[in-house]
Amino acid sequence: MPDQVLDDISHRRYNPLTGSWLLVSPHRTKRPWQGQQEAPSKVQLPEYDPKCYLCPGNTRAQGDANPQYQHTFAFLNDYSAVKEEQQEYKPEVNSDDIASLLLQAQPVTGRCYVLTFSPKHNVTLADMPAPEILPIIQTWTRIYASHMSPTHPLQAEAARALQSIPSNPDGEVDVPKHQLRYMQIFENKGAAMGCSNPHPHCQIWTTSELPEEPGRELSQMTKYCAGRGRHLLADYVKVEMEKGERIVWQNEAFLVVCPWWAVWPFEVLVIAKRHVRALVDLTDAERLQFAEAVQEVTRRYDNLFETNFPYSSGIHQAPIDCTVEEAENSWFHMHFYPPLLRSATVRKFLVGFEMLGEPQRDITAEQAAVRLRDCGGELYRKASE
């Protein structure tokens, strides 16, 4: 264990991936709660919902019909956050004009996709065994590869990956007209995380600019490698495997931890053990092992409070248009940010000091890891059937 005193005193922890700090207050777990409580997710969904915009064969909001897909289905988001074509904007920055320096704007173009995980309306990743999650990862890989720039340093790896991944016409998307910079794959699960449709799905946003979070991480990893000659996450994997107290689960290819710097109560980081730069770097065996890691995390989440555990998750990897240095400084990992704190009805809020000062958490990452380690085994819903 880390210094035992940290279990009882307020202290700050450093996040080397972002260069930021957070406040940890383990003694606050004893305070009574009389605030807002979330409604636990107990709704029984049908396997097919004729009113769902994502179920096979149904018509979406703008009139397009879904195919009778069997595994995954990808399509351009009917209400995309960014568009591929828009009015041109070229701001002029004048160093003598204070307004032009302070009121800056930057045009962003791109494409946003929706990817369903399953034709079944009533399942989540926690319900799906690893072999059923594998086609999702294969589709992510094919979409990532199709959006890579022609000069991308991982083109050879992408070609090898595509040779071994079976094709799925329902999971294919059109290539953008213009080269984009970054691809963010993410899932918002549950109404508490703003998900508007319970059908299992994720989103894939591709943008012409590198977003703040992956950009900050890439900058930190680049600085670390330049200063020490080693990769930040390679060293972090080594440290966590030596210490062990924050490990939730692992297999040959991936390590699942509650990171030292976790902000959310049961935040989890899935990290490749070897230097994987992007999805296209994974071997066939590693793609299945990644599916196993995702399944372990989501099943343990649901078992923790015996509910459909809400979270936001996302993959950080090499940009789809990058230099050799940027590719080499990237390290494949996946974040899980869940809001629940004490039960299926009590969630954490990032407000007050956390908005105006810095993030704060109550239970330590070590305590959270113990709870999640103890939640293995069969999914609670199946055990009660």
Side-chain angles (χ1 to χ4, degrees), residues 266 304-305 341-342 363 366-376:
F266 295 96
L304 181 62
F305 296 135
L341 174 59
R342 301 183 182 200
I363 66 171
E366 296 75 32
Q367 293 166 340
V370 170
R371 299 277 301 276
L372 289 174
R373 279 200 300 270
D374 291 343
C375 289

Side-chain angles (χ1 to χ4, degrees), residues 236-237 240-241 246-249 255-262 266-271 297 365 369 372:
Y236 184 62
V237 166
E240 289 292 21
M241 292 187 67
R246 285 173 295 277
I247 295 177
V248 175
W249 182 86
L255 181 68
V256 178
V257 300
C258 290
W260 168 260
W261 55 81
F266 295 96
E267 180 177 330
V268 157
L269 187 63
V270 180
I271 321 171
V297 172
L372 289 174

Side-chain angles (χ1 to χ4, degrees), residues 78-314:
D78 296 322
Y79 300 97
S80 295
V82 290
K83 298 183 294 184
E84 192 170 9
E85 301 290 344
Q86 62 183 12
Q87 185 176 350
E88 189 174 356
Y89 174 67
K90 291 184 178 181
E92 293 184 5
V93 178
N94 184 346
S95 60
D96 296 326
D97 181 8
I98 296 177
S100 68
L101 292 174
L102 299 180
L103 309 179
Q104 295 189 39
Q106 183 182 59
V108 179
T109 58
R111 305 186 82 183
C112 299
Y113 307 104
V114 175
L115 175 69
T116 63
F117 292 158
S118 168
K120 295 180 180 179
H121 185 76
N122 60 344
V123 300
T124 68
L125 291 175
D127 297 286
M128 301 168 66
E132 291 182 14
I133 296 175
L134 179 60
I136 301 169
I137 295 169
Q138 292 172 333
T139 303
W140 285 343
T141 305
R142 294 189 72 90
I143 293 177
Y144 179 93
S146 70
H147 286 64
M148 290 167 56
S149 68
T151 59
H152 199 289
L154 303 183
Q155 278 291 353
E157 287 76 7
R160 283 195 292 269
L162 293 178
Q163 287 178 348
S164 64
I165 295 176
S167 62
N168 172 22
D170 294 329
E172 304 291 338
V173 295
D174 294 332
V175 177
K177 298 176 183 178
H178 309 288
Q179 180 60 51
L180 300 170
R181 175 79 161 117
Y182 194 77
M183 175 175 290
Q184 183 60 65
I185 300 170
F186 67 95
E187 179 194 5
N188 293 325
K189 180 195 173 191
M193 303 309 292
C195 181
S196 60
N197 190 321
H199 193 108
H201 71 283
C202 72
Q203 298 186 56
I204 303 173
W205 290 15
T206 54
T207 57
S208 56
E209 302 298 330
L210 182 62
E212 282 287 304
E213 284 299 308
R216 187 179 295 114
E217 288 187 357
L218 183 55
S219 176
Q220 287 292 110
M221 291 188 287
T222 299
K223 291 176 184 177
Y224 189 95
C225 191
R228 291 170 175 79
R230 303 184 306 274
H231 204 290
L232 189 159
L233 285 179
D235 282 357
Y236 184 62
V237 166
K238 180 181 178 181
V239 167
E240 289 292 21
M241 292 187 67
E242 288 174 351
K243 293 188 174 294
E245 66 261 26
R246 285 173 295 277
I247 295 177
V248 175
W249 182 86
Q250 63 178 308
N251 59 17
E252 184 180 351
F254 288 91
L255 181 68
V256 178
V257 300
C258 290
W260 168 260
W261 55 81
V263 171
W264 295 95
F266 295 96
E267 180 177 330
V268 157
L269 187 63
V270 180
I271 321 171
K273 288 185 175 179
R274 73 172 180 91
H275 189 196
V276 173
R277 296 157 292 185
L279 283 161
V280 294
D281 261 338
L282 296 173
T283 65
D284 289 345
E286 287 171 338
R287 277 188 285 274
L288 181 57
Q289 289 175 323
F290 182 40
E292 292 172 352
V294 171
Q295 213 288 323
E296 285 288 339
V297 172
T298 54
R299 190 180 77 255
R300 288 167 190 268
Y301 273 169
D302 279 17
N303 284 347
L304 181 62
F305 296 135
E306 296 193 351
T307 189
N308 268 308
F309 207 84
Y311 60 78
S312 283
S313 66

